Amino acid sequence: MKKGIPLFILLLIVSCKSSVKTESKPITITSAEVKSVVTYLASDQLQGRNAGSEGIENAATYIENQLKSYGVKAYYDTYRDDFKIGETDAFNVIGFIEGTDKNLKDEVIILGAHYDHIGQVKTVEGDSIANGANDNAAGTSAVLAMAKYFAAKKNNKRSIMFALFSAEEMGLLGSKHLAERLKSENLNLYTMINFEMIGVPFKDRDYEAFVSGYDLSNMAAKMNEYVGSNLIGYSEVSKKYSLFKRSDNYPFYEQFKLPCQTVSSCDLTNFDFYHHVDDEIDKLDFEFMAKLINKVIPAIEKMSNTESKEIVMYEE
């Protein structure tokens, strides 16, 4: 007589099937979704997203709606972090995903990018709108992509803040305001990573993006270690022109004296349309952008889950 399958084996089979069903699927950021974000932000409709304009208001509303659709909560009472530029109202847009670990969630990683640009400029061949596709709709799309990813994965032990800054083009005013505000609120900052002009690849480098202030911390080394490749490198041009001090990472470094640096794939040697009306979406490589974002995400993921703060400033 044929014997039945023992009960413990049946339970094991059911358990295995159950675990397969609940295993989370890989999440990949596509070039199409990156292009969709940049296409809207860099459209003529937004008139160059100058701080204080109707265009920047529409851009902020769009970013808020994106964060809301991902399930990313507002950090303050609303997504907007208001400040003044003289008599002009301006606002950063801030989302937040709380960490899953009861102790590590008090430590915060900030992922940032500025979403403003310079508005309308001198007319070139009938066009006066500085669309700012690479500068910095591209960086904004990266932060939104990462917000979407971490909202879906829910695997970050540390908390992650997604900060989209206004008035960068007026002198880092939005990031300066938020850095001072968070410092006064005693935020337990781990690190701040800013994304700036990631829309075009380098042609002659053995890395895919550089980090500003490369020599100040082990940020690049750790990110490369986390992803197992030479993803982040050193830019001589960045150092020559002090790009570390010219992007939204710098106010956070000034306030917190911690690794606060910018990731970029453009040090102006590989892009001819900086603050030009031709900084439009047809100049960008969206396949490259999606690949870069997908390669950076595991580094951020690891960063959010290490037991100790492994990214540190070098001693002077």
Side-chain angles (χ1 to χ4, degrees), residues 36-186:
S36 176
V37 172
V38 176
T39 298
Y40 176 74
L41 292 176
S43 64
D44 285 354
Q45 175 187 341
L46 267 58
Q47 298 289 299
R49 308 187 309 279
N50 200 15
S53 69
E54 183 180 349
I56 199 79
E57 167 72 37
N58 291 337
T61 300
Y62 173 83
I63 292 167
E64 289 172 325
N65 288 337
Q66 292 294 106
L67 291 172
K68 196 177 299 181
S69 73
Y70 307 151
V72 177
K73 295 180 179 179
Y75 183 66
Y76 293 110
D77 291 337
T78 72
Y79 288 101
R80 299 200 183 188
D81 165 45
D82 298 314
F83 62 99
K84 287 280 192 178
I85 306 170
E87 296 300 314
T88 301
D89 293 323
F91 29 81
N92 302 315
V93 182
I94 316 295
F96 190 73
I97 298 176
E98 186 176 55
T100 60
D101 185 273
K102 64 178 182 179
N103 296 317
L104 292 178
K105 70 179 182 179
D106 292 333
E107 300 173 6
V108 179
I109 295 169
I110 298 177
L111 305 178
H114 74 91
Y115 72 102
D116 69 306
H117 197 51
I118 58 175
Q120 294 184 269
V121 295
K122 184 179 178 181
T123 301
V124 178
E125 297 181 357
D127 186 3
S128 64
I129 300 173
N131 300 82
N134 196 24
D135 182 18
N136 187 35
T140 301
S141 75
V143 173
L144 288 177
M146 287 183 276
K148 180 179 181 179
Y149 177 91
F150 284 104
K153 292 289 281 189
K154 298 180 175 64
N155 65 347
N156 51 295
K157 292 182 180 179
R158 290 185 173 85
S159 296
I160 304 177
M161 180 183 295
F162 304 91
L164 290 313
F165 307 112
S166 186
E168 186 269 359
E169 301 288 4
M170 296 181 175
L172 313 181
L173 299 184
S175 53
K176 184 174 186 291
H177 164 80
L178 182 62
E180 291 175 352
R181 181 176 185 179
L182 293 175
K183 181 66 174 179
S184 71
E185 294 168 354
N186 296 313

